[in-house]
C-alpha cells in the first residue's frame, strides 16, 4: 500500500520536471526564441556601431563647431547620444542679442542632427540644451519643441 502512493508522487514529480523542461525548451530553444536573441544581438551591435561612429564624428565635427561658436565651459552627451548639453557662462549668454542666440542654437542643433544622421542615428531624436554654470536652462532645441529661449 505504501508503494503505490510513492508511485503517484514519482509520476507527478516526473510530469512536473518534463513540463518544466518542455516550457524551458519552448521559451529558450525554439526558433522564435533564437530569432528574438538574434534580433537583440543585432540591435546591440548596431547601437555600438552608431556610438563608435558618433564619437568619431563628435571629435571631428560637433565639438569644433561648438568651440568656434561660443565659449562653452562643459559639454556632455547622454548615453544614447540623443541629448547634448552645453554649459555657457551667464555673462556670455546675456551679452548676446536674441538673433545671436537663435543663430547659435540653430547652428549647433543643425550640426548635432547632421552628425547623428551621418553616424546612422535618427536625426529627429536630437535635443540640444544650453545651460549656465548653475545648471539653469538658458535655451533648448529639439524637433518636437523647436527652439525655446528661456532666458
Amino acid at each position: 500500500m505504501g508503494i503505490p502512493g510513492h508511485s503517484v508522487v514519482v509520476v507527478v514529480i516526473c510530469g512536473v520536471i518534463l513540463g518544466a523542461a518542455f516550457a524551458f525548451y519552448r521559451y529558450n530553444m525554439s526558433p522564435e526564441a533564437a530569432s528574438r536573441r538574434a534580433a537583440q544581438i543585432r540591435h546591440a551591435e548596431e547601437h555600438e556601431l552608431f556610438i563608435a561612429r558618433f564619437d568619431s564624428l563628435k571629435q571631428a565635427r560637433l565639438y569644433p563647431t561648438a568651440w568656434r561658436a561660443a565659449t562653452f565651459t562643459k559639454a556632455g552627451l547622454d548615453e544614447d547620444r540623443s541629448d547634448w548639453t552645453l554649459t555657457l557662462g551667464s555673462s556670455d549668454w546675456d551679452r548676446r542679442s536674441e538673433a545671436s542666440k537663435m543663430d547659435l542654437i540653430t547652428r549647433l542643433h543643425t550640426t548635432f542632427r547632421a552628425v547623428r544622421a551621418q553616424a546612422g542615428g535618427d536625426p529627429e531624436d536630437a535635443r540640444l540644451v544650453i545651460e549656465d554654470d548653475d545648471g539653469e536652462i538658458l535655451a533648448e532645441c529639439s524637433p518636437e519643441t523647436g527652439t525655446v529661449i528661456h532666458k
Side-chain angles (χ1 to χ4, degrees), residues 2-31:
I3 295 175
H6 285 329
S7 297
V8 171
V9 171
V10 169
V11 168
V12 169
I13 291 173
C14 288
V16 169
I17 291 171
L18 287 172
F22 177 76
F24 176 81
Y25 170 79
R26 181 121 168 102
Y27 184 75
N28 292 309
M29 305 302 219
S30 69

Side-chain angles (χ1 to χ4, degrees), residues 16-146:
V16 169
I17 291 171
L18 287 172
F22 177 76
F24 176 81
Y25 170 79
R26 181 121 168 102
Y27 184 75
N28 292 309
M29 305 302 219
S30 69
E32 295 85 14
S35 177
R36 276 193 310 269
R37 282 192 304 278
Q40 290 171 341
I41 290 169
R42 194 170 37 258
H43 177 72
E45 289 171 347
E46 288 171 1
H47 184 69
E48 287 177 18
L49 184 58
F50 163 74
I51 296 297
R53 281 191 230 135
F54 184 93
D55 286 350
S56 175
L57 290 166
K58 170 183 73 176
Q59 297 300 325
R61 292 191 48 215
L62 197 58
Y63 283 169
T65 301
W67 303 149
R68 281 190 305 270
T71 308
F72 293 103
T73 57
K74 287 190 286 185
L77 290 156
D78 70 336
E79 187 175 304
D80 291 331
R81 309 308 193 261
S82 60
D83 288 346
W84 186 26
T85 303
L86 295 166
T87 304
L88 181 68
S90 297
S91 59
D92 186 359
W93 186 254
D94 292 339
R95 282 193 297 262
R96 292 176 177 271
S97 67
E98 289 297 310
S100 173
K101 291 175 183 177
M102 287 297 283
D103 178 61
L104 173 67
I105 295 165
T106 302
R107 188 169 358 125
L108 292 171
H109 190 249
T110 300
T111 303
F112 182 35
R113 290 180 69 187
V115 167
R116 280 189 58 80
Q118 189 174 359
D122 183 2
E124 296 299 312
D125 190 20
R127 179 174 174 255
L128 169 68
V129 175
I130 297 178
E131 62 182 27
D132 66 12
D133 292 321
D134 297 327
E136 182 180 347
I137 295 176
L138 303 171
E140 57 188 314
C141 186
S142 71
E144 299 88 37
T145 63

